[in-house]
C-alpha cells in the first residue's frame, strides 16, 4: 500500500471524452499510468500518448518532472512527443502552404517544451528550419513562424549556435537590415542575432560585419516598442561581447553616430519611465478602497493575523495602529498621511507592495528583525521606503522631461522591465544592512539615507548591465568602503590645494581642536544618564555621572527614571580626576570581562571604563548611543592629557576646518563686520505665518 504522500489526486482530460479523476501513484512507472488512462478510454497504442499540463505552460510530464505535480492539477492526454515531432516534421515539408503554415505555427508553440524539442532535434528538424530560412521563398507569416520555432528550439541549448552557416547568418541579418520588412520577422531576427552574439566571440564578429550601427539606431526611432526593445537588446549584447577596442569602434565608428546612439538610449529610458510620473505625483486617497487594501496588505503580510472578526472597533483600531507603528509609519493611526507627500506619493506604496509580494521572506525578515530591536535602533520600514523611493526617483530623473542634449543613460534599464521596483527591492535590503553597519539610531536617519544614496549613485555610475551585477557591486560597497572612498577623495582634494591653503589649514587645527576639547568638557560638566546591565529580566537601573565645574571631580549616583538633570549635591559618589589612571573600552572593560560571552557586539561597542586608585577600582559605563560614547571617551582623554581619537572628533574637525577655510578665503574687503551681534528683533504679534506640514497641500 503506497504511502499517502506518494498519492496525488489529479484530473485528466481528452477532447470528446469525460475527464478522469485518478489518484496518481508517484512510485508507479509513468508508462503504466498512461496505459491505465488509455484503457479506460479504450485507446489502443498507449506508447503514442503522453501527459502534459492542461493550463499555463503546457509542459510534458516526464519521469524527471513528475514530482512537481500537485494535488488538484489538471493534465491532458495528448500525442507523445516523438509522435508529435514526427507529424510536424512531415507537415512542414508539405506542398500545401496552408499545412506548412499551420505546422510551423504549432511547432513554434510546442518547441518551448524541452522534451518535445529533443525529439524534434533528434530528427534533424532544426536543420530543416535553417534550410527554409536560407531559401527565403516563404510568405512573411510562414517565415515568422519558422524563425520563432527555430529560436525556441535553440533556447534549450541542445544544439550549438556555432553550427550555423554564414549563409544563414547573412539571411537573418538581411531581415534586420531591410528597409521594408514585416516587423514580426525583424523582431525575432533581432532576438536570434542577440543570442548569437552572446554565445561566442566568433559569431559576434560575423554579426558585427553584417549589422550596421546606423541600422540599429534606425530601429530605435520607430514607434513599435517591441521592435525598439529587441534592437536595444542586440545593441547591448554587442557592447557586452565587444572588447575594449571593438566597443570603441561600435560606439565611436563616427562621433555623430555614437552621440546620437547615446542620446536615443537616454531619451528611450526617460520616455519609458514617464508612466511612473502620475503615481509619483498622486497622494494616497484615504477613501479609495483599493489603496486602503494595499496599505493594509502590507500590515497583513508582515504580521500573523489574529482573528479580527470578534474584536470591537476600538480594539481593532488599536491593534492596527500598533502594527502600523511596527511597520515604521509615523502616523500609525492614519498611515495614509505618511503617503501624502508628493513625490513620491503612491509610487512609494507601489514599491512597498511589490517588495512584500515579490520577496515575502525578505520583507517579513526586515520588519520582524527591526520590530525586535530597541525603539531607537530599529530601522523604520515605511519611513525608509518612502525616502528610498524618492531617492530612486531623483537618481532616475522620473518626471523630468528629456533633455535635448542628454546622453547619460543606465544600461541596466534595458535589461529589466520593472527596473524601479527591482532596484527598490535590492536597495531597501541594502539600507537595512547599512543601518546595522552604522549602528544607527532614529536620530541618524538622514545620515543613513545620505550613505545609501551615495552607495546607489556610485554603483550606477559604473554602468552595471544587469540587476545581479548591480546587487553584487552595491552590497560590496559597504559603509566602511564609503568612508575609505570619502577619505581618499578628501586627500586628493587636499593635494590639489594651493600650498598657502594647506598652511592655513595646519595653522587652524590647534585652535579648532581646542574648541572641540572645550565642547567635550562642557558636555561632561552637563552630565549624562547611563544604564546598568541587569541579569534579571526587568527594566535596567539608571545612574547619572557629571564633571564638576572646575573639572577636578567626577560625581555620580543612582537616579529615578523620570529625574531631570540632578545637581552635583544629589550625586553621593565621587572620584577625583587626579586619581583616574586610565580609560579602557570594549572587551577590555572589567564589566565586559565579567560577562564574557553574554554581551552582544552593540553593547561592546558602547562600553567604556575608568580605572582609579592604582587601577584596583573601576567605574563602568555603557553609553546609550555612539555619540555619547565618543563624547565621553574624548572628554576623559582630555582630562588625562591625551589626544582625542573618536570618529566623531575627526568628522567635526573636518567640518570646522572646511567652514573656517571657506570663511577665511571669502573676499571681505570693504565689508564691515560688527564687533557685537545685532539685536534680536521683537517677537511678532502672532504666528499665523507658520505652515502646518502635517496637513497635505490642497
Amino acid at each position: 500500500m503506497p504511502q499517502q504522500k506518494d498519492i496525488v489526486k489529479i484530473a485528466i482530460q481528452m477532447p470528446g471524452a469525460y475527464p478522469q479523476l485518478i489518484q496518481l501513484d508517484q512510485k508507479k512507472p509513468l508508462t503504466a499510468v498512461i496505459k491505465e488512462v488509455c484503457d479506460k478510454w479504450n485507446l489502443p497504442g498507449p506508447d503514442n500518448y503522453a501527459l502534459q499540463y492542461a493550463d499555463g505552460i503546457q509542459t510534458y510530464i516526464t519521469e524527471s518532472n513528475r514530482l512537481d505535480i500537485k494535488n488538484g492539477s489538471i493534465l491532458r492526454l495528448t500525442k507523445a512527443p516523438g509522435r508529435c515531432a514526427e507529424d510536424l516534421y512531415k507537415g512542414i515539408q508539405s506542398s500545401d502552404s496552408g499545412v506548412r503554415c499551420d505546422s510551423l505555427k504549432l511547432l513554434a508553440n510546442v518547441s518551448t517544451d524541452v522534451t518535445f524539442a529533443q525529439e524534434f532535434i533528434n530528427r534533424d528538424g532544426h536543420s530543416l528550419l535553417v534550410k527554409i530560412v536560407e531559401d527565403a521563398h516563404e510568405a512573411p507569416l510562414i517565415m515568422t513562424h519558422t524563425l520563432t520555432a527555430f529560436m525556441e528550439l535553440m533556447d534549450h541549448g541542445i544544439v550549438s549556435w556555432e553550427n550555423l552557416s554564414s549563409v544563414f547568418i547573412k539571411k537573418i541579418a538581411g531581415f534586420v537590415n531591410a528597409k521594408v520588412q514585416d516587423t514580426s520577422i525583424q523582431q525575432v531576427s533581432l532576438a536570434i542575432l542577440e543570442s548569437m552574439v552572446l554565445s561566442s566571440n566568433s559569431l559576434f564578429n560575423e554579426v558585427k560585419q553584417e549589422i550596421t550601427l546606423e541600422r540599429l539606431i534606425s530601429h530605435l526611432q520607430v514607434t513599435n516598442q517591441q521592435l525598439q526593445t529587441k534592437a536595444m537588446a542586440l545593441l547591448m549584447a554587442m557592447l557586452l561581447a565587444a572588447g575594449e577596442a571593438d566597443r570603441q569602434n561600435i560606439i565611436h565608428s563616427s562621433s555623430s553616430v555614437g552621440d546620437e546612439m547615446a542620446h536615443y538610449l537616454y531619451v528611450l529610458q526617460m520616455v519609458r519611465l514617464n508612466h511612473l510620473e502620475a503615481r509619483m505625483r498622486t497622494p494616497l486617497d484615504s477613501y479609495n478602497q483599493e489603496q486602503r487594501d494595499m496599505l493594509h496588505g502590507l500590515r497583513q503580510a508582515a504580521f500573523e493575523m489574529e482573528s479580527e472578526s470578534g474584536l470591537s472597533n476600538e480594539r481593532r483600531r488599536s491593534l492596527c495602529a500598533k502594527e502600523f507603528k511596527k511597520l515604521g509609519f509615523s502616523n500609525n493611526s492614519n498611515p495614509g498621511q505618511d503617503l501624502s507627500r508628493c513625490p513620491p506619493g503612491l509610487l512609494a506604496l507601489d514599491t512597498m507592495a511589490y517588495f512584500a509580494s515579490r520577496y515575502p521572506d525578505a520583507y517579513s525578515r526586515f520588519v520582524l528583525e527591526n520590530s525586535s530591536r530597541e525603539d531607537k535602533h530599529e530601522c523604520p520600514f515605511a519611513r525608509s521606503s518612502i525616502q528610498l523611493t524618492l531617492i530612486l526617483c531623483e537618481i532616475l530623473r522620473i518626471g523630468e522631461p528629456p533633455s535635448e542634449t542628454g546622453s547619460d543613460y543606465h544600461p541596466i534599464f534595458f535589461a529589466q522591465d520593472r527596473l524601479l521596483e527591482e532596484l527598490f527591492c535590492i536597495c531597501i535590503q541594502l539600507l537595512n544592512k547599512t543601518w546595522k553597519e552604522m549602528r544607527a539610531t532614529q536620530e541618524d536617519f538622514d545620515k543613513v539615507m545620505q550613505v545609501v544614496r551615495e552607495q546607489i549613485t556610485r554603483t550606477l555610475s559604473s554602468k552595471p548591465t544587469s540587476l545581479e551585477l548591480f546587487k553584487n557591486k552595491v552590497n560590496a560597497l559597504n559603509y566602511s568602503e564609503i568612508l575609505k572612498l570619502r577619505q581618499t577623495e578628501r586627500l586628493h582634494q587636499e593635494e590639489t590645494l594651493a600650498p598657502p591653503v594647506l598652511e592655513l589649514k595646519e595653522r587652524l587645527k590647534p585652535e579648532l581642536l581646542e574648541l572641540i576639547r572645550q565642547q567635550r568638557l562642557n558636555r561632561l560638566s552637563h552630565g549624562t544618564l547611563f544604564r546598568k546591565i541587569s541579569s534579571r529580566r526587568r527594566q535596567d537601573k539608571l545612574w547619572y555621572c557629571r564633571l564638576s565645574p572646575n573639572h577636578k571631580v567626577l560625581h555620580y549616583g543612582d537616579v529615578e527614571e523620570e529625574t531631570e538633570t540632578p545637581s552635583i549635591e544629589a550625586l553621593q559618589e565621587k572620584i577625583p580626576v587626579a586619581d583616574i589612571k586610565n580609560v579602557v573600552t570594549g572587551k577590555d572593560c572589567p564589566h565586559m570581562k565579567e560577562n564574557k560571552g553574554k554581551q552582544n557586539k552593540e553593547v561592546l561597542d558602547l562600553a567604556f571604563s575608568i580605572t582609579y586608585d592604582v587601577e584596583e577600582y573601576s567605574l563602568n559605563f555603557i553609553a546609550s548611543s555612539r555619540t555619547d560614547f565618543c563624547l565621553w571617551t574624548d572628554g576623559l582623554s582630555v582630562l588625562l592629557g591625551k589626544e582625542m581619537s573618536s570618529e566623531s572628533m575627526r568628522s567635526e574637525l573636518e567640518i570646522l576646518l572646511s567652514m573656517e577655510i571657506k570663511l577665511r578665503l571669502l573676499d571681505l574687503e570693504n565689508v564691515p563686520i560688527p564687533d557685537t551681534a545685532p539685536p534680536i528683533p521683537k517677537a511678532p504679534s502672532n504666528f499665523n505665518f507658520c505652515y502646518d506640514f502635517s496637513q497635505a497641500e490642497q
Side-chain angles (χ1 to χ4, degrees), residues 403-465:
S403 166
E404 293 183 1
T405 58
S407 60
D408 185 18
Y409 65 93
H410 300 294
I412 191 176
F413 175 83
F414 303 101
Q416 177 59 236
D417 290 333
R418 303 191 67 174
L419 177 68
L420 178 73
E421 291 88 343
E422 288 293 341
L423 275 181
F424 173 85
C425 294
I426 294 172
C427 294
I428 192 65
Q429 296 176 77
L430 167 74
L431 191 153
N432 189 41
K433 173 173 168 285
T434 303
W435 185 281
K436 290 186 287 187
E437 290 170 353
M438 295 175 67
R439 297 184 289 273
T441 64
Q442 296 289 341
E443 296 174 353
D444 302 317
F445 180 83
D446 291 335
K447 183 179 177 182
V448 175
M449 297 310 301
Q450 289 174 1
V451 173
V452 171
R453 178 192 284 271
E454 189 172 344
Q455 289 171 314
I456 298 170
T457 51
R458 285 182 183 272
T459 304
L460 286 177
S461 67
S462 67
K463 301 293 183 184
T465 53

Side-chain angles (χ1 to χ4, degrees), residues 229-288:
T229 304
K230 296 296 182 184
M232 188 64 59
L234 174 56
L235 184 60
M236 302 316 279
M238 293 179 71
L239 290 173
L240 286 171
E244 186 61 35
D246 285 331
R247 188 177 295 114
Q248 295 301 321
N249 289 335
I250 292 173
I251 298 176
H252 301 295
S253 54
S254 77
S255 59
S256 61
V257 172
D259 293 340
E260 188 178 6
M261 179 188 71
H263 177 65
Y264 279 124
L265 293 173
Y266 158 77
V267 171
L268 181 59
Q269 171 182 294
M270 297 297 288
V271 169
R272 292 181 64 187
L273 283 170
N274 274 351
H275 72 283
L276 299 172
E277 183 178 3
R279 300 287 285 182
M280 182 182 74
R281 303 199 183 282
T282 305
L284 184 136
D285 180 2
S286 299
Y287 297 100
N288 185 302

